Amino acid sequence: MEIADEVHSSEHTLNGKTYTGSCFCGAVQFAVRGEPVVMGYCHCESCRSWSAGPVNAFTLWKPEAVQLTRGEDNIGTYNKTPRSYRKWCKTCGGHLFNVHPHWDLIDVYAPVIPDFPYRPGVHVNYQETKLRMKDGLPKMKDIPKEMGGSGITMAE
Ligand SMILES: [Zn+2]
Ligand SMILES: [Zn+2]
């Protein structure tokens, strides 16, 4: 009985595995649980301009999978559009999330959850790319059809 219980509980733990994340200075800490809905790279102008980087490694989660554990008051928000509420730490400026209300999903930037096994599956907004990445993954011109885009793919 005890062994069976143990197997059951360890399977449960695997299914709902938790990964911790934080901003650059550690004032804001959080955890993600389970699996994201989709992972990939975004090449759009907005992601590049805000991050000051050539590409954004995204992991999109249901809101209930993301839990703040420290420093909630220390989070700043900027929304240039109602589709993206970009969040960062007010102390270090480190980026944390991008909340997308219209999809009911939160982008947790892959680099802020270092222990999470990031497995990108798609490139989005590749028509705007400044950094071609020849990794064999599909390159969407904008975004997948099921997320409101054209669903058209492009050459790498
Ligand atoms: Zn910080
Ligand atoms: Zn983007």
Side-chain angles (χ1 to χ4, degrees), residues 11-92:
E11 270 175 6
H12 185 79
T13 309
L14 261 183
N15 290 339
K17 200 162 182 204
T18 296
Y19 301 91
T20 55
S22 78
C23 65
F24 188 52
C25 75
V28 179
Q29 293 179 7
F30 63 95
V32 290
R33 189 167 185 274
E35 284 291 319
V37 177
V38 61
M39 302 182 238
Y41 298 101
C42 185
H43 296 253
C44 87
E45 195 276 334
S46 291
C47 283
R48 286 188 284 104
S49 177
W50 192 62
S51 70
V55 65
N56 168 38
F58 67 82
T59 69
L60 288 169
W61 303 73
K62 295 302 276 182
E64 56 268 27
V66 184
Q67 262 204 325
L68 287 163
T69 51
R70 187 179 156 184
E72 191 163 359
D73 296 345
N74 216 45
I75 296 176
T77 303
Y78 179 72
N79 68 303
K80 194 176 193 178
T81 77
R83 298 164 69 88
S84 294
Y85 289 73
R86 295 171 190 271
K87 298 188 181 273
W88 72 93
C89 168
K90 289 178 189 171
T91 302
C92 68

